[in-house]
Amino acid sequence: MARPGGRSARVQEAVHGAVRELEAEVGRDALTVPLVAARAGVTPSTVYRRWGDLRELLSDVAVERLRPEAPPEDHGALAADLTTWAEQFLDEMTSPPGRAYLRDALLGDPDGNNAGRCSAYAADQIDVILARATDRGEPAPDVETVIDHVVSPMMYRILFRPSSPLDADYAHHLVAGLLDGPAGAASDGTDA
């Protein structure tokens, strides 16, 4: 991971920017390390030394593209906050760019670090939602329970059942099942 500022951060920013620009101009299939390096103003050996190969570079870029740009919206209630977030998450991950980023993030990640970073992005967003609910005095499940009951089913379908229909109703169903079902009831200390 690059230190904030410094040459390493500038190289990462230039190379990531070059990948995004070239993908838009020539398409993903035409990308090569020398082409990216030339656009970024670095040598190919710099790219190879830092990322290893094109697949690992595309994976690193994908993980950065999957990072949320803002905290989740606050709609005043856990159910509304979590439902809105789940809808947006599902919409982003099932979009053609989202699917491509997921594929790239996982394909160039032999040790699982990128998958862990992507998971942490979702967990951090969920944690914000749950903390707001707790601050409002609402009972809330823990982050791992939300991941198990909302995020995991979505990701399974996105990755392994890409032809199954996924829409806002599916996200609503998962959130309602979590908050109204045994998992939601158990987490707030009441009997199911």
Side-chain angles (χ1 to χ4, degrees):
M1 177 159 250
R3 291 184 317 233
R7 183 184 188 297
S8 183
R10 286 191 303 274
V11 167
Q12 178 175 337
E13 184 178 324
V15 171
H16 280 215
V19 168
R20 289 189 301 271
E21 291 169 9
L22 288 166
E23 276 184 318
E25 292 172 20
V26 301
R28 187 179 183 286
D29 292 339
L31 291 180
T32 64
V33 168
L35 185 64
V36 170
R39 175 62 64 95
V42 300
T43 64
S45 63
T46 298
V47 175
Y48 288 122
R49 187 171 43 256
R50 175 148 184 173
W51 286 280
D53 61 21
L54 183 62
R55 185 184 311 190
E56 289 183 36
L57 170 59
L58 293 175
S59 182
D60 191 48
V61 170
V63 170
E64 287 303 312
R65 295 298 295 254
L66 291 168
R67 179 193 307 264
E69 295 176 2
E73 296 174 21
D74 186 348
H75 296 280
L78 175 60
D81 290 352
L82 195 54
T83 300
T84 300
W85 179 84
E87 286 176 15
Q88 291 170 346
F89 180 84
L90 185 62
D91 185 54
E92 290 171 11
M93 295 301 120
T94 58
S95 70
R99 287 180 187 269
Y101 295 144
L102 282 172
R103 226 178 1 259
D104 285 345
L106 297 175
L107 283 174
D109 187 27
D111 57 8
N113 287 335
N114 288 345
R117 287 171 54 201
C118 290
S119 178
Y121 296 158
D124 290 346
Q125 293 266 298
I126 293 164
D127 190 48
V128 168
I129 292 168
L130 300 179
R132 287 178 185 157
T134 301
D135 289 346
R136 289 189 294 259
E138 294 180 85
D142 61 50
V143 171
E144 292 303 315
T145 300
V146 176
I147 288 174
D148 288 346
H149 292 267
V150 178
V151 178
S152 295
M154 285 192 230
M155 292 307 297
Y156 180 86
R157 286 189 173 221
I158 291 166
L159 293 171
F160 299 113
R161 298 187 53 92
S163 62
S164 67
L166 299 172
D167 56 17
D169 288 340
Y170 182 63
H172 289 219
H173 168 76
L174 293 173
V175 172
L178 167 69
L179 297 179
D180 299 336
S187 67
D188 70 9
T190 62
D191 294 329

